[in-house]
Amino acid sequence: MTIAEEIDAMTDPSFMTSLARGLAVIRAFSDQRRTLTIAQISQKTGIPRAAVRRCLHTLRQLGYAGAEMNNFSLKPKILTLGYSYLSSTPLTVSAQPYLNNISRVLNESCSLAVLDETEILYLARAATSRVMSVALNTGSRLPAYCTSLGRVLLAHLPDAELKHYLDTVKLRAFTDRTVVSSKRLREILLEVRSAGFAIIDEELEVGLRSIAVPVRGASGKVVAALNVGVQSARVSKRQMQTEILPVLLKGSEELSVLLP
């Protein structure tokens, strides 16, 4: 089902189709496609070209988008849409010093993320080097099922929500190690829930390993996940558990104290 079909399927009379289309147009842009034509956005979202044109015209008038010839791109003002969330979230505001400390102690990159539908959303990051082929920054998104952050967050979903996720998510292979079986993924998530951490070994990208732990609020509910990513040639899975995991768990406990 395309984004447009999902929007058109909404039957709530208070649902604003035009707003939903505008947001879908904004989300069509990415690190890989920073400039897009009307036709490309229409093909990616399923939204008719005429509607895409009106959305882009509105975004340009408001200063959120710009255009050169027939190529459209987002402008810096678009960041204000996400800044309100990031600046008002206690975890985001408080986390950076702790991530910086973890990164300094381990000399590895450290990230904090939350689950947003089928993806993880990066809230904060302290990078010592670039361990992935794509740049990761605050606001970046990755699939939940093949990331250590995502598996920790999925593993602690209520059973009904996890079942819905596994029944509907489309699993595709990023490497020959990516788990693309819903049954196997469910087994792994149960293991993660029991162990209290998740390790990803070259499932998202060849040469990349990562380990993540949950971050809990005062009620004990998992609200985010904390991870460290490394180059697999430098750090073994055993080292991740013996050297990195204790530092991550300590950082998670310190962050949890700050949360309501």
Side-chain angles (χ1 to χ4, degrees):
M1 181 180 289
T2 65
I3 296 172
E5 288 171 337
E6 292 177 3
I7 293 172
D8 291 340
M10 297 296 293
T11 57
D12 184 347
S14 297
F15 183 80
M16 291 183 63
T17 300
S18 57
L19 176 58
R21 285 177 170 176
L23 293 172
V25 167
I26 291 172
R27 293 187 64 179
F29 294 90
S30 66
D31 287 347
Q32 291 77 34
R33 301 301 297 271
R34 297 182 180 181
T35 61
L36 293 167
T37 65
I38 290 173
Q40 288 170 332
I41 295 174
S42 178
Q43 181 179 21
K44 186 172 183 178
T45 63
I47 299 172
R49 293 190 186 190
V52 171
R53 185 178 292 107
R54 290 195 298 272
C55 289
L56 288 170
H57 175 75
T58 303
L59 291 170
R60 289 184 67 189
Q61 291 293 102
L62 295 175
Y64 293 117
E68 288 188 12
M69 302 296 287
N70 294 321
N71 294 307
F72 293 83
S73 61
L74 299 178
K75 297 183 73 173
K77 188 178 179 181
I78 203 74
L79 294 174
T80 61
L81 299 179
Y83 180 74
S84 296
Y85 167 73
L86 291 174
S87 62
S88 63
T89 303
L91 187 58
T92 303
V93 175
S94 307
Q96 195 62 54
Y98 294 90
L99 268 65
N100 291 344
N101 182 60
I102 293 170
S103 181
R104 183 167 54 251
V105 169
L106 297 173
N107 196 30
E108 302 288 357
S109 298
C110 178
S111 303
L112 181 77
V114 294
L115 188 65
D116 186 19
E117 296 182 351
T118 62
E119 299 176 311
I120 55 168
L121 171 65
Y122 283 80
L123 296 184
R125 181 167 166 79
T128 57
S129 61
R130 186 160 163 175
V131 294
M132 286 190 65
S133 60
V134 297
L136 293 177
N137 302 294
T138 299
S140 294
R141 293 172 176 271
L142 287 174
Y145 67 89
C146 57
T147 58
S148 60
L149 289 162
R151 286 193 180 167
V152 163
L153 293 165
L154 290 171
H156 291 87
L157 284 177
D159 291 341
E161 291 182 30
L162 178 58
K163 182 180 185 305
H164 176 74
Y165 172 85
L166 292 171
D167 288 345
T168 57
V169 69
K170 296 179 180 178
L171 306 177
R172 73 177 183 90
F174 285 83
T175 74
D176 59 4
R177 295 192 177 190
T178 308
V179 174
V180 291
S181 161
S182 293
K183 180 181 179 182
R184 177 56 186 147
L185 181 58
R186 182 189 297 275
E187 294 171 349
I188 291 172
L189 293 177
L190 291 176
E191 293 169 3
V192 169
R193 184 185 297 183
S194 175
F197 67 92
I199 291 181
I200 288 287
D201 190 9
E202 299 187 281
E203 290 190 45
L204 179 64
E205 185 170 301
V206 174
L208 173 68
R209 285 195 181 111
S210 66
I211 183 169
V213 298
V215 177
R216 300 177 185 272
S219 67
K221 180 181 179 181
V222 173
V223 296
L226 187 65
N227 95 328
V228 163
V230 301
Q231 294 174 340
S232 58
R234 290 191 297 102
V235 183
S236 68
K237 289 179 66 176
R238 179 177 176 79
Q239 285 177 293
M240 297 188 82
Q241 293 187 57
T242 58
E243 300 174 14
I244 295 177
L245 180 58
V247 178
L248 270 182
L249 289 172
K250 183 174 183 293
S252 172
E253 290 175 3
E254 292 172 340
L255 280 174
S256 294
V257 172
L258 304 174
L259 298 176

